[in-house]
Amino acid sequence: DTAVSQTPKYLVTQMGNDKSIKCEQNLGHDTMYWYKQDSKKFLKIMFSYNNKELIINETVPNRFSPKSPDKAHLNLHINSLELGDSAVYFCASSLALGYNEQFFGPGTRLTVL
Amino acid sequence: KQEVTQIPAALSVPEGENLVLNCSFTDSAIYNLQWFRQDPGKGLTSLLLIQSSQREQTSGRLNASLDKSSGRSTLYIAASQPGDSATYLCAPRGGSNYKLTFGKGTLLTVNP
């Protein structure tokens, strides 16, 4: 069984479009995260949610809006896509906010043309 | 602001060698540190989580050590195999929001 899953795996779109990436975890975890890995492979946190409450927002443009309908899901909506948004986006989860191991999804490769 | 450095950036070894990957971080006020591997085009796989109160953590052929006061961690891989080829990332967790900060990784190639 997949622990942390993301859809779609690949996303190719035009500049200016709005798109969403979905993330689901079946581990019963309380905390979920979004990370961005740029072309230089540098991985950086964007958001974290704990029990559906926003904990971390790392100065991400407000074109990016996470939405957590329940503890098992954290979706990422991106408005007015720009070329610089091209990257691999990873979802992750952990049992709780503090001391626990994080588990990552397989990633979504977003290409903006 | 936490900064993480991993040395070397790339490493190529023959199969069977024991090797050490190094990670240093600037802010020693961490809760724990996690080591991951990332295969090309794939997500991250958690290898070891070492709490700030621990000195070592072992899983199979992997051993991670942590010297929190000096801001260093090492990942020791014994008897390396071609299947160990991947990028290895370390990430200390710290701050009021328990954030993981990643290094740029060490690209390991184990040659048959």
Side-chain angles (χ1 to χ4, degrees), chain A residues 33-67:
Chain A
Y33 312 81
W34 277 108
Y35 289 85
K36 179 180 180 181
Q37 189 171 42
D38 61 26
S39 57
K40 296 181 180 178
K41 307 295 185 187
F42 197 39
L43 194 65
K44 196 170 180 184
I45 191 163
M46 300 173 68
F47 300 103
S48 74
Y49 267 73
N50 188 55
N51 278 321
K52 296 170 47 182
E53 179 185 350
L54 179 67
I55 302 299
I56 296 175
N57 180 341
E58 282 287 303
T59 59
V60 177
N62 58 14
R63 298 182 295 105
F64 290 78
S65 54
K67 287 185 171 53

Side-chain angles (χ1 to χ4, degrees), chain A residues 9 33 35 37 40-45 48 55-56 58 90 94 96-107 109, chain B residues 1 4 31-32 34 36 38 41-49 51-52 89 93 96-104:
Chain A
K9 188 170 174 61
Y33 312 81
Y35 289 85
Q37 189 171 42
K40 296 181 180 178
K41 307 295 185 187
F42 197 39
L43 194 65
K44 196 170 180 184
I45 191 163
S48 74
I55 302 299
I56 296 175
E58 282 287 303
F90 288 100
S94 63
L97 185 59
Y99 298 84
N100 307 101
E101 199 171 0
Q102 285 191 23
F103 296 89
F104 279 68
R109 181 173 293 278
Chain B
K1 180 188 171 187
V4 181
Y31 302 105
N32 55 44
Q34 201 165 348
F36 297 88
Q38 184 174 24
K42 300 286 176 69
L44 278 69
T45 300
S46 179
L47 298 172
L48 288 164
L49 172 69
Q51 300 292 350
S52 62
L89 298 157
R93 183 196 296 248
S96 58
N97 53 20
Y98 302 96
K99 185 175 76 170
L100 279 182
T101 302
F102 283 85
K104 292 186 177 180

